[in-house]
Amino acid sequence: MAQIATAAGPAARPPKRRRSDGTLRRRRRRPSDYLFFVLFAGPNVALILAFVYYPLFMNLNYSRLNWRIGADTAKIVGLANYKEFFTSGTGLSVWKVTILFTLCTVIGSMLLGLVMAVVVNQRLPGRTFTRTALFAPYVLSGVGIALVWSFMFDPQMGILRYVFEWFGKTSPQWFLHENTTLIAAIIVYIWKYLGYCTVLFFSGLQSIPQDLLEAAEMDGASKTQTFFRITLPLLSPTTFFLLVSMTLNAMQAFDILQILKPTGEGVNTFVFEIYRQSFGVYQRAGYASAISVVLFLTLALITVIQFKFVDRKVHYA
């Protein structure tokens, strides 16, 4: 049996050629190798250059212009658009709303998703239906979800009105004040991504070796100690992936926010402000391009920080 495996395995490969000093000799590339590389990778590289890097460099160029969409002329203003964004009240409001929205939605979705994953990981009746029901909102359109929740938030006819009345309270006017508008948007966003976090955490729980949990139980560890000292560290790859992906998604949120509050008061995140400045009443393409560049650099910086510092805390099995 060992002979058959040896003949069909590594022994069947041609021996590697070595130089006189013992180092491996690199195989010389043939022209056909370069031709195949260009044929297979060329179209993809061309599409990436045309639809990713070309718009990116054009956006950098527009960000130094005072230019309105449709205008024939544009004035070069250098870094004035960036200075206006970092010093104006609107720019500071965009930073505040984006940071609050991102922190609340990422932390809320991941914490609730972890709790629900632990629940559906138990041997309970109907857990398959529960997982399906939790994941369903993630595959639905953000526009449809926002429309449904708009009716639910209605203080006169929405279902939340009856919930508040059951507690003896009056339903707030969700979309008349900036703070309640932001809270409503956070609730809807968490509801949409709760199933996504639950399914990924559930997959992580399923991959934990049972012998580790049984050994901890035999050593007398309580369920709380087992969860925080074994389960949670072994879930760190899933937690890290969700932290990166959820942060990038939250900072680029738009569809739900635009449907809930079309004018943007209270929910003017980065992407919403880019939309308002470029395609709204202002049509300031140059200023919107500068905000886009700031968003791009912010996302790149957050991603680098997460991979450089948070990745060190991840325990890969």
Side-chain angles (χ1 to χ4, degrees):
M1 192 65 183
Q3 292 177 351
I4 295 175
T6 303
R13 299 175 182 174
K16 296 180 179 179
R17 297 181 178 178
R18 293 179 178 274
R19 297 189 180 94
S20 57
D21 58 356
T23 58
L24 292 176
R25 180 183 300 173
R26 296 183 62 183
R27 187 173 68 88
R28 179 174 298 177
R29 301 287 185 185
R30 296 174 299 181
S32 59
D33 295 337
Y34 295 102
L35 177 62
F36 280 116
F37 173 77
V38 172
L39 288 177
F40 284 104
N44 294 326
V45 173
L47 289 174
I48 292 174
L49 290 175
F51 293 102
V52 176
Y53 288 101
Y54 176 72
L56 177 62
F57 286 109
M58 290 302 296
N59 197 59
L60 282 171
N61 181 39
Y62 291 149
S63 68
R64 64 187 183 90
L65 303 177
N66 181 12
W67 175 56
R68 295 181 183 275
I69 293 180
D72 297 329
T73 59
K75 180 182 178 181
I76 298 176
V77 294
L79 299 177
N81 288 328
Y82 295 96
K83 181 179 179 181
E84 179 181 346
F85 178 68
F86 281 104
T87 56
S88 66
T90 304
L92 296 177
S93 173
V94 169
W95 279 106
K96 176 184 174 183
V97 171
T98 303
I99 292 173
L100 278 176
F101 180 79
T102 302
L103 286 177
C104 292
T105 54
V106 172
I107 295 175
S109 300
M110 292 181 63
L111 281 180
L112 291 176
L114 178 60
V115 172
M116 294 307 300
V118 172
V119 172
V120 298
N121 194 39
Q122 308 299 317
R123 296 184 180 279
L124 299 175
R127 65 174 185 169
T128 303
F129 172 78
T130 304
R131 289 201 301 265
T132 306
L134 284 172
F135 190 71
Y138 177 68
V139 299
L140 297 178
S141 164
V143 175
I145 290 174
L147 286 173
V148 172
W149 275 93
S150 297
F151 288 110
M152 294 174 65
F153 281 122
D154 190 298
Q156 302 300 326
M157 300 179 294
I159 190 173
L160 291 181
R161 168 201 169 190
Y162 300 101
V163 176
F164 279 93
E165 287 182 353
W166 192 72
F167 286 101
K169 303 291 183 181
T170 303
S171 178
Q173 299 286 339
W174 291 95
F175 302 113
L176 290 184
H177 306 285
E178 293 187 356
N179 292 336
T180 52
T181 302
L182 181 60
I183 293 173
I186 290 172
I187 292 173
V188 177
Y189 200 84
I190 290 177
W191 183 80
K192 175 176 171 57
Y193 284 91
L194 173 61
Y196 173 71
C197 296
T198 301
V199 169
L200 290 186
F201 273 128
F202 176 75
S203 300
L205 289 173
Q206 292 285 304
S207 65
I208 295 177
Q210 289 299 313
D211 54 348
L212 290 178
L213 303 178
E214 292 171 358
E217 185 179 359
M218 292 177 64
D219 289 341
S222 65
K223 290 187 176 179
T224 304
Q225 291 174 324
T226 303
F227 178 78
F228 283 102
R229 297 188 179 184
I230 297 179
T231 305
L232 208 53
L234 291 178
L235 280 177
S236 54
T238 305
T239 306
F240 178 66
F241 171 77
L242 282 173
L243 181 63
V244 175
S245 61
M246 287 295 297
T247 302
L248 298 181
N249 282 335
M251 292 199 68
Q252 300 177 77
F254 174 70
D255 50 357
I256 291 176
L257 308 180
Q258 209 277 336
I259 296 298
L260 290 178
K261 189 69 174 181
T263 54
E265 286 86 357
V267 292
N268 57 329
T269 58
F270 265 100
V271 178
F272 203 114
E273 188 64 16
I274 293 169
Y275 171 78
R276 289 178 57 188
Q277 294 292 338
S278 57
F279 303 107
V281 294
Y282 307 109
Q283 295 191 343
R284 300 179 62 191
Y287 183 62
S289 299
I291 302 175
S292 302
V293 174
V294 175
L295 173 61
F296 171 75
L297 296 177
T298 304
L299 292 176
L301 179 63
I302 290 174
T303 305
V304 170
I305 290 174
Q306 288 176 328
F307 273 93
K308 188 173 180 59
F309 296 103
V310 183
D311 190 38
R312 297 176 180 175
K313 305 294 182 182
V314 176
H315 300 275
Y316 294 101

